Amino acid sequence: KPTLGVINAEPEPIKLDWPSTALLIIDMQRDFMEPGGFGETLGNDVSQLARAVKPIGAVLTAARDTGMLVIHTREGHLPDLSDAPPAKVERGAPSLRIGDPGPMGRILIRGEAGHDIIPELYPLDSEIVIDKPGKGAFYATELGDVLEKYGIENLLVCGVTTEVCVNTTVREANDRGYRCVVMSDGCASYFPEFHEMGLKMIKAQGGIFGWVATSAAVLEAMK
Ligand code: C5J
């Protein structure tokens, strides 16, 4: 297998060294993807997110085949809510608040069924799972240390939602010097227009936060 690949990305193609590249899958949890979870309690149509599952699955399979480092993240809080800011818990008028009992267990709480990753993309035991209390995957987590330990310089980023946790994480990563390639069809939003704009914001101005490419372009480069 070649150790270098060129992804046909926007705003321009990017050459990546695979051993220093990780696949970062953001928050593909039942709480965001399925009825009865955190996303739906906020009034969202969770069916909008389903389209990202297959493209992510295809790249996840390719990453596993090539031995690429795979990192999954999960947004959620400790059962005592000690890591959940009141400003987050009290906000708005959701049908259920963070920590309330729902059909998949307590909403957005670590260890509950709803907090777990959907079966289609379930992590292997050998893969890294980062639990994060915020939207960005670097804030209050060990992600930075993990990337340094594995010599990672580039991130293939996908997951949900495009304009919230994906964008926040890409912005955090960009400031830390990582090259981020965001998979356009491997992300989704409850608001299709936010998905479009979220991708445009990343690749505008010569790639101000990073690059955007389809899963097909990523798979082609990994061949
Ligand atoms: C949200 C996320 N949308 N994973 N979280 O609240 O994007």
Side-chain angles (χ1 to χ4, degrees), residues 26-27 29 32 38 42 75 132 135 160-166 190:
I26 307 284
D27 298 3
Q29 297 161 254
F32 295 104
F38 179 61
L42 298 176
E75 179 180 344
K132 62 188 184 66
K135 304 306 183 193
V160 296
T161 60
T162 315
E163 80 282 11
V164 183
C165 291
V166 172
Y190 300 119

Side-chain angles (χ1 to χ4, degrees), residues 97-149:
R97 290 193 189 276
I98 295 169
D100 285 349
M104 295 189 286
R106 294 177 67 201
I107 298 292
L108 214 60
I109 298 296
R110 293 183 192 172
E112 302 287 346
H115 177 264
D116 214 347
I117 292 173
I118 58 170
E120 298 94 313
L121 303 175
Y122 209 76
L124 300 178
D125 286 343
S126 57
E127 291 169 355
I128 294 166
V129 179
I130 302 279
D131 280 319
K132 62 188 184 66
K135 304 306 183 193
F138 287 84
Y139 168 66
T141 73
E142 67 280 26
L143 179 59
D145 292 340
V146 168
L147 297 180
E148 202 175 312
K149 175 178 157 195

Side-chain angles (χ1 to χ4, degrees), residues 31-33 39-40 44-46 48-49 161 188-192:
D31 252 321
F32 295 104
M33 305 295 297
E40 196 181 71
N44 295 306
D45 169 12
V46 295
Q48 288 289 343
L49 305 189
T161 60
S189 169
Y190 300 119
F191 309 93

